[in-house]
Amino acid sequence: MKTIRFLTRVSVITGLLVAGVETSADWLRFRGPNGTGVSADDKAPPVKWSDTENVKWKVSLPGPGSSGPIVVGEKVFVTYWSGYGVDPEDRGDMADLAIHLRCVDRRSGQTLWDRSVKAKLPEQEYGGMFAQHGYASHTPVSDGERVYAFFGKTGVYAYDLEGKELWKADVGSDLDGRGWGSAASPILTDSGLVVTASVENHAMVSFNKKTGAQQWIQEAEGFGSTWGTPVVVGKGEDQEVVVGVPGEIWGLNAKTGKLRWYSEGLRGNSMTSSVVPVGNSVLASGDRGGGTRVVKAGGKGDVSESHIAWTGKDGGNITSPLVYEGRFYFVKSSIVNCRDATTGEEIYSERLPGGAATERGRGVGARSQGGRPGGNYTPGQGPGGGGGGGGRRGGGGRFGSPDYASPVAAGGYLFQLTGKGETIVIKMGDQFDLVSRNSFASDSSNFSGTPAISRGQLFIRSYKNLYCIEE
């Protein structure tokens, strides 16, 4: 048994040294190439900007949203909502709520087209800290020929790059009893388009990319408290969709949706961050001190012991970690953290100048029980677990403006956007190196969407504007 675990650990560590990323310089999904957050292009965007410096263009958006932009060739896509809850002081009539996908020319910022759909009602009431989630919080995804947008209970929509609607599909119409809405973004596998309909149906659904025909659906209570976006690990018949859920990490067969393996060990009754692929493994960080662990994919049944490289006690809350050149980074409570990705050992934890710890309520709920999906692993290998629900979805930043955006990187620099619109730029390495702190004095709105990086350009969206940052 010890020999097996030793060999497994070595293979996991080897896989951690190089994170697999796409060769294209496009940013086609949430956090870019397979959700790593690392640009496939080594050219870094500017490390300093302001309203008057290094802004190629700025485009006003008719409505807010927490989704991130994506970049497909010379086109930039972003979602937003309109008609209801745009002005918190005057919410308006929910009957007017519409959700939009906008296409912008990356060279000029000119709007090429804008498609809107009427929201399926009733939607979540706008109010509180998270009620707007589900209107326009899911980042689109593209295969270079089509762009796919998930609008929560309003459905999944596929368009060609010129804005022609190709198909639409429904994934469920439930509302979140906590009023938080949904936020997981769609992804693409070799087999199809995969949508995590967490709130809408407690399910993960796969569609044919061209026709919209449903290929499989996997229902499980554990999806109900999941806001993180899955990643793809492996190739061909071994390709898996890996997702973090409350208390566990699941690996599903990409072609059938069947559960292949699971790992216990995370703590908490919700899962808001996304797992990160590192070679043939994934790094997952639980909510609010829920722990961190690295798991080798491709197992069978319960891999809670056999496929674990290392476990740690800390990690980000809502924001997802970033792995680069053998280190993993996360920013939480004004502290920049760097860890060794092969061992989990601390390299540094440095408080940002002028930053004050604001994280509260670090108590962690008991690990959830029940709710794991059916699978094709050998029966009888472990107890049920991993479902959940409940708990406050607090952010890692200042109260009133939680930090939702996850870090992204290019050319050796890490870019972390805060809810108040400040972007912290760190030179990655074994020493803490704060390069700059940048913001737009003219924009005091919310900045919750994770930025995109492509060919030396940084794309940032706020509730009011879409920006292209370029030297």
Side-chain angles (χ1 to χ4, degrees), residues 442-465:
S442 63
D443 192 343
S444 60
S445 68
N446 183 282
F447 288 73
S448 289
T450 296
I453 300 177
S454 175
R455 304 203 300 268
Q457 293 178 322
L458 177 68
F459 299 88
I460 298 175
R461 72 85 49 87
S462 72
Y463 268 21
K464 292 184 176 180
N465 301 298

Side-chain angles (χ1 to χ4, degrees), residues 257-276:
K258 298 292 185 179
L259 182 68
R260 282 181 167 174
W261 58 266
Y262 63 92
S263 170
E264 300 178 336
L266 297 178
R267 300 180 300 278
N269 50 17
S270 64
M271 186 68 175
T272 54
S273 68
S274 302
V275 296
V276 180

Side-chain angles (χ1 to χ4, degrees), residues 16-248:
L16 281 169
L17 299 180
V18 179
V21 296
E22 299 171 8
T23 58
S24 169
D26 288 347
W27 194 270
L28 300 177
R29 54 155 284 173
F30 173 71
R31 302 199 78 203
N34 199 23
T36 60
V38 180
S39 173
D41 185 352
D42 288 334
K43 185 178 181 180
V47 296
K48 294 183 179 180
W49 64 86
S50 67
D51 283 314
T52 58
E53 179 185 11
N54 289 332
V55 178
K56 180 177 176 64
W57 48 257
K58 167 186 170 183
V59 176
S60 177
L61 295 175
S66 298
S67 60
I70 64 169
V71 183
V72 186
E74 299 304 318
K75 293 181 170 67
V76 183
F77 298 91
V78 67
T79 66
Y80 66 93
W81 85 83
S82 67
Y84 171 73
V86 173
D87 180 356
E89 301 301 322
D90 183 11
R91 300 180 185 179
D93 189 341
M94 185 182 285
D96 297 326
L97 177 62
I99 312 176
H100 303 250
L101 174 66
R102 174 164 287 204
C103 177
V104 173
D105 187 294
R106 76 178 291 171
R107 293 162 293 192
S108 65
Q110 177 184 358
T111 296
L112 300 177
W113 51 265
D114 190 305
R115 301 292 178 264
S116 67
V117 296
K118 295 294 292 183
K120 181 186 293 184
L121 302 181
E123 254 290 4
Q124 301 282 168
E125 290 283 348
Y126 187 92
M129 293 181 68
F130 312 109
Q132 70 272 30
H133 286 191
Y135 298 169
S137 292
H138 318 85
T139 299
V141 64
S142 176
D143 56 9
E145 298 179 8
R146 293 165 289 271
V147 59
Y148 306 91
F150 176 37
F151 296 144
K153 66 175 292 183
T154 300
V156 184
Y157 287 77
Y159 301 89
D160 68 19
L161 299 186
E162 304 307 316
K164 178 183 177 182
E165 183 181 308
L166 301 175
W167 56 264
K168 60 184 177 181
D170 181 79
V171 291
S173 57
D174 288 349
L175 292 176
D176 183 15
R178 297 152 293 195
W180 297 345
S182 66
S185 299
I187 66 167
L188 290 165
T189 69
D190 290 346
S191 307
L193 173 74
V194 174
V195 176
T196 306
S198 55
V199 168
E200 298 79 12
N201 198 24
H202 290 197
M204 183 176 282
V205 190
S206 177
F207 297 96
N208 182 288
K209 292 179 285 187
K210 294 183 178 180
T211 67
Q214 181 177 301
Q215 298 181 141
W216 54 260
I217 181 170
Q218 181 62 273
E219 297 176 315
E221 285 302 310
F223 287 126
S225 292
T226 296
W227 287 269
T229 298
V231 297
V232 179
V233 179
K235 298 179 180 179
E237 296 296 324
D238 296 325
Q239 191 170 78
E240 297 174 342
V241 175
V242 182
V243 64
V245 300
E248 298 189 347

Side-chain angles (χ1 to χ4, degrees), residues 262 264 302 372 377-384:
Y262 63 92
E264 300 178 336
D302 187 352
R372 187 177 297 133
Y377 56 85
T378 302
Q381 291 190 335

Side-chain angles (χ1 to χ4, degrees), residues 280-328:
N280 195 41
S281 302
V282 294
L283 185 152
S285 178
D287 287 1
R288 300 190 300 279
T292 300
R293 61 176 33 208
V294 174
V295 185
K296 182 183 177 183
K300 185 177 181 180
D302 187 352
V303 300
S304 303
E305 297 292 335
S306 62
H307 283 54
I308 306 303
W310 57 263
T311 61
K313 295 182 179 180
D314 58 2
N317 286 340
I318 290 176
T319 62
S320 305
L322 185 141
V323 178
Y324 184 82
E325 293 187 346
R327 307 175 191 89
F328 89 91

